[in-house]
Each structure stands twice: as C-alpha cells, then as structure tokens.
Amino acid sequence: MNIDGVSTGIVLDHIQAGKSLLIYQLLELENLDCSVAVIQNARSGKYGKKDIIKIDQLIDLDFDVLGYVDPNITVNIVKDGKMVDKKHMALPERLTNVIQCKNPRCITSIERGVPQRFRLVDPERRVYRCEYCDTEHVAKR
Amino acid sequence: MAKRDLINITDLTQEEVGEILDLADDMVAHPEKYYEECAHKKIATLFYEPSTRTRLSFESAMLELGGNVIGFASANSSSASKGESVSDTVKVIECYADIIAMRHPKEGAALVASNACSVPVINAGDGGHFHPTQTLTDLFTIRKEFGRIDNIRIGFCGDLKFGRTVHSLIEALLRFEGVEIVLISPDELKLPKYNKESMTEAGIKWTETTSLEDAIPDLDVLYMTRVQQERFFNEEDYIRLRDTYVLDRAKMKLAKEKMIVMHPLPRINEISVDVDRDPRAVYFKQVRNGKDVRKALIATLLRWKEEM
C-alpha cells in the first residue's frame, strides 16, 4: 500500500512501527466521519518497517503532538492525487493531556478533571516542564 | 484585562514588586490612611495545611485594611475531607469572598484554583513549590535593612530541595543587579536543577557548598531554613538530615558585623535561641514585615480587580 490510496486527504507517514494506534487516539481520529486507514508494519526502506495512517479528507487536525510522539513522522497533504505539502514535525511548545506528571506531590495527582499541561523549556534536550509543579519530563528521541 | 493573581513571584513585574514594597512602606508610615481601604470586602483564607504566621498575617492584614475574613485552617475542617476538589471549593468560595489566599500541600494547587475562579488568588504556599508572599516579605526585609536589594551576597542554608521560600526568593532575585547566591545544603537537600538553570540563564553568580562555616564570612544575608518533616516520605531520612546545620553564637562570630540572619519561621533547632539577642537576627522583624507587605498586596490586587 502507498500514498496512492488517498486522492484528497492526509497521510501520516514514517510512523515508528507500533505507534499508529497511539497516534490514532491522541489525534482523536475515532471522531471523524471520513475513511481512516491504519496500516501497520508496512515495509520501509529507511526503517525496515513503519506504520502509516491515511485520512480520506483534508481536515484541520492538531498535529503538534506528533512531533512529541515521534519526530520522524511526516505529514503529507494530498490534493487530487498529488502531494502538495510535506511537513516534518517539530517538538510542540505545549502538550495537553499527552503525558502525565510523575510527581506524587503535584496537584494533578489528586485533582479530578485538571488537564495535564506541559511546556517545552529546552528543545535541544527535549525537556518539558509540568505547568503546575515544574517537574521535568524528557521526551524520548 | 484578565484578573491578576499571585501564584509565582514572577507573575509580578519588577516594577510592580517595587510599587507593592513602596505601598507597604507607606502603610507602615501612615496606617490611618488605609483603615477603610478594604471596607466591606472579604478575604477567604483557605488553608489545607497548618500555618500560624502566614494565615494570621493575611487575616491581620485584611482586618487592618478594614476588611473581613472567612476561611478554614485545615483540610479536615473543610469539604476537602469529603473529597471536594480544589476547583469546586474555590468556585463556591468566590460566591462569598472578594479575594482568596490559599495554602495547599500539593504543588500547583494555587494555579488550579486561579484557573477555576474569577476572584484574585494569592498562593500562600503550594507544597514545596512556591511561596510568593514570603518572597515579598523577604524582599521587603532586605530592602529595609540594606536600603537596596541589588549587589547583595546571600547564602541559603538548610533544606534547599523542598524549601519553597528559597525557590521563590531565588526566582525574584534573578531580576536584581549584582546579586550573588551561595547554596549551603547537604547533598540530599540540594536546590532543584531547574532553579540552578534559571540562575545560570539569568547570569547570576552562584556557588554550592556543604559548609556553613566556610560560607558565612562573606555573606550579607544568611537565609536559614528548617528541614521540613512534612516533606519527607521517610522518617529516617528526616531524622538524619534535620541537625545538619545549627547556627549558633560561635558561627555568628565568623560573620560580618552588618550581615543579617533571616528565617521564614517556624524554627526548630537550626538557629540556636541565643542568636535571637544578636542584633543581626531579623527573623522576628520579618514577621511584622510579612503582615505589612501582605496588606499592600491585598490592596493592590483588589485595586487591580476594580480597574478591570
């Protein structure tokens, strides 16, 4: 399978094998009406195998989180069968409800309904800090 | 304009800090001018953790401004004991009070409160994280004693890991010129990395040592802290670390004649009682300063709210 499967839509390519379902959840793709294909363990010349997600419609999604989950993911925008844009993801400035604060003294460990918010403080070292308690979280490479 | 809170000292610009300290000075010089400043206004003091100074200081401050006080002094005497969230509690309290001062054992609790309600929230301590009104007190004390805050060499001694007063004061000092910081603590209670990074980024000169005797001769301010039992999950660690530093008359002899000793109180045994008579010991003056500066803060936040 390849990009030809989408005539107008979005293709998330080069997802690390095994992470597509996590991305599906984080982007809340289950709420879409259009066709969404999740392809796991596709052959990849660069990585051996990869996952791909194809969304059969051009929609406004918050892709920032992809840069956190896997910086190698590319977002391909396809119109009329042609790839019109290819985006490489950077670490997002803010993360909401993507990671959980591990500090047992943080208010988020007991308060119901509070969003888990982190802000990027050191892009080079990939360090995020909890907005509530300042505990650091280092994003994996 | 959004409502203003004080969660972290950096919520105030340096200019605003200066204005609050100036107002506090004026309130000390002319208290009668402010007897009606907060007439018909109420402060809610929501204290989920025990406190003597901070809570009573907020309450005295509001009473001296002509306002009233409601609140609770422990989580057990509030709906928190029934499992009510911080967000729900402050949504209820804002129906009764014009301003909230909150202390909570969890870090970030004041920020959650501030996000949940529309009245100004003052962080009166959130776990081991921040304690900005103690910081205003400390800045006010340093300014009163030296006539300036710039170009001060200040040593922080004791529990620098969980000591929220230390974290907040360091954040505030980053904005002053020529401040030098000496960190004096056992290895287990060192200042968190993020505070050190902030100092480095701000270009502040800082050093770290385990010896109070080595550090004391060069200091203008010695800021002592208590090793806080309530921050330890393990009793053994607390007992082992609590007696690491005890400031006594012998150590005071090594210090400059003009050095001042500060402490956010309560003190356990980290400052020997015989140091109290030394004129360089200003920790009880700090308590009075704390009430005066909280008066200025409450008045300022309520004035800002009215300007909205």
Side-chain angles (χ1 to χ4, degrees):
Chain A
M1 282 180 93
N2 57 36
I3 199 165
D4 297 342
V6 170
S7 59
T8 294
I10 301 163
V11 178
L12 308 181
D13 201 1
H14 301 113
I15 302 170
Q16 189 186 328
K19 281 198 174 169
S20 52
L21 289 179
L22 171 67
I23 286 164
Y24 187 91
Q25 282 172 350
L26 289 171
L27 295 177
E28 299 179 353
L29 299 182
E30 71 273 18
N31 296 330
L32 298 181
D33 272 342
C34 61
S35 309
V36 178
V38 176
I39 301 152
Q40 294 188 302
N41 298 323
R43 260 194 309 229
S44 161
K46 208 169 172 186
Y47 303 109
K49 54 183 182 174
K50 65 180 179 179
D51 288 358
I52 304 169
I53 296 177
K54 297 185 177 188
I55 304 164
D56 199 20
Q57 199 175 313
L58 280 177
I59 40 160
D60 197 14
L61 282 173
D62 178 9
F63 290 119
D64 282 352
V65 69
L66 299 180
Y68 171 79
V69 177
D70 182 351
N72 296 318
I73 294 175
T74 52
V75 176
N76 303 308
I77 308 295
V78 184
K79 268 186 193 164
D80 302 324
K82 286 182 186 163
M83 185 162 69
V84 294
D85 195 9
K86 183 172 189 168
K87 295 174 185 168
H88 293 274
M89 297 292 106
L91 279 182
E93 284 296 313
R94 282 176 187 274
L95 291 173
T96 302
N97 292 333
V98 177
I99 44 176
Q100 274 205 322
C101 185
K102 293 196 173 77
N103 175 10
R105 297 181 183 87
C106 180
I107 185 68
T108 57
S109 67
I110 57 161
E111 180 87 356
R112 297 176 300 278
V114 174
Q116 295 271 348
R117 289 206 185 107
F118 284 77
R119 61 182 185 282
L120 183 63
V121 292
D122 186 343
E124 228 167 79
R125 289 173 44 230
R126 303 171 62 83
V127 177
Y128 282 86
R129 205 170 276 167
C130 173
E131 287 208 344
Y132 302 95
C133 71
D134 285 302
T135 295
E136 283 190 356
H137 175 93
V138 181
K140 286 180 193 156
R141 286 190 189 273
Chain B
M1 192 175 124
K3 67 152 177 153
R4 297 284 302 272
D5 305 288
L6 181 61
I7 306 303
N8 181 356
I9 190 68
T10 53
D11 293 342
L12 299 170
T13 64
Q14 195 168 1
E15 199 178 38
E16 288 166 343
V17 169
E19 285 165 10
I20 290 169
L21 302 190
D22 291 344
L23 181 60
D25 272 332
D26 197 54
M27 285 177 164
V28 172
H30 310 286
E32 69 288 348
K33 268 169 63 184
Y34 302 93
Y35 284 163
E36 297 292 312
E37 173 79 27
C38 294
H40 314 296
K41 299 269 170 62
K42 278 172 275 179
I43 188 168
T45 52
L46 311 184
F47 277 63
Y48 293 79
E49 260 192 344
S51 150
T52 311
R53 260 157 312 283
T54 310
R55 184 171 62 82
L56 295 183
S57 132
F58 271 110
E59 295 183 357
S60 322
M62 190 55 161
L63 293 173
E64 287 186 19
L65 294 168
N68 289 299
V69 175
I70 57 172
F72 52 81
S74 77
N76 292 338
S77 57
S78 79
S79 288
S81 61
K82 300 174 194 161
E84 187 172 60
S85 66
V86 168
S87 305
D88 282 1
T89 300
V90 296
K91 278 178 192 154
V92 170
I93 299 295
E94 73 173 334
C95 302
Y96 310 136
D98 302 279
I99 186 166
I100 291 172
M102 189 174 98
R103 169 169 290 185
H104 197 286
K106 292 288 184 187
E107 299 171 9
L111 181 61
V112 167
S114 136
N115 290 340
C117 73
S118 59
V119 298
V121 173
I122 301 173
N123 182 5
D126 58 338
H129 194 215
F130 291 129
H131 193 355
T133 61
Q134 181 66 45
T135 306
L136 286 174
T137 304
D138 297 338
L139 294 174
F140 191 47
T141 303
I142 294 171
R143 201 176 82 160
K144 279 185 112 170
E145 296 295 324
F146 290 95
R148 66 175 200 281
I149 299 171
D150 297 313
N151 302 310
I152 292 283
R153 190 176 165 91
I154 178 166
F156 291 96
C157 179
D159 176 3
L160 309 189
K161 183 178 180 183
F162 300 116
R164 57 191 168 197
T165 57
V166 173
H167 304 168
S168 285
L169 184 52
I170 287 176
E171 284 272 340
L173 290 172
L174 300 182
R175 301 190 281 186
F176 290 88
E177 292 291 321
V179 170
E180 280 188 44
I181 291 175
V182 183
L183 306 169
I184 310 153
S185 70
D187 286 339
E188 295 88 340
L189 296 175
K190 281 185 174 177
L191 191 76
K193 213 165 117 196
Y194 68 86
N195 289 103
K196 289 180 187 165
E197 285 170 2
S198 306
M199 291 193 290
T200 306
E201 276 165 30
I204 287 255
K205 199 173 161 193
W206 64 274
T207 50
E208 206 166 29
T209 175
T210 53
S211 167
L212 175 57
E213 288 86 342
D214 287 351
I216 201 170
D218 296 322
L219 299 177
D220 300 310
V221 178
L222 173 60
Y223 196 100
M224 293 295 294
T225 62
R226 167 176 67 101
V227 175
Q228 302 173 83
Q229 186 171 11
E230 62 270 30
R231 305 282 170 236
F232 284 85
F233 289 131
N234 180 340
E235 176 84 10
E236 250 173 58
D237 287 344
Y238 166 69
I239 291 169
R240 184 168 52 83
L241 293 168
R242 71 178 172 189
D243 297 327
T244 314
Y245 302 105
V246 178
L247 181 66
D248 53 22
R249 287 172 71 181
K251 291 192 189 83
M252 286 299 283
K253 281 185 185 157
L254 304 171
K256 288 182 191 171
E257 228 171 88
K258 291 267 170 84
M259 186 193 79
I260 59 168
V261 182
M262 295 171 64
H263 191 301
L265 302 179
R267 153 184 63 179
I268 307 298
N269 63 342
E270 59 279 4
I271 301 178
S272 155
V273 177
D274 57 16
V275 175
D276 296 358
R277 291 192 301 272
D278 191 310
R280 293 171 291 181
V282 301
Y283 29 90
F284 290 110
K285 280 193 208 169
Q286 257 175 287
V287 178
R288 180 173 293 277
N289 293 340
K291 186 256 302 171
D292 292 328
V293 89
R294 285 182 181 101
K295 279 173 74 174
L297 175 67
I298 292 168
T300 302
L301 288 175
L302 288 173
R303 285 177 187 180
W304 285 344
K305 190 184 166 204
E306 273 175 18
E307 284 166 15
M308 271 168 61

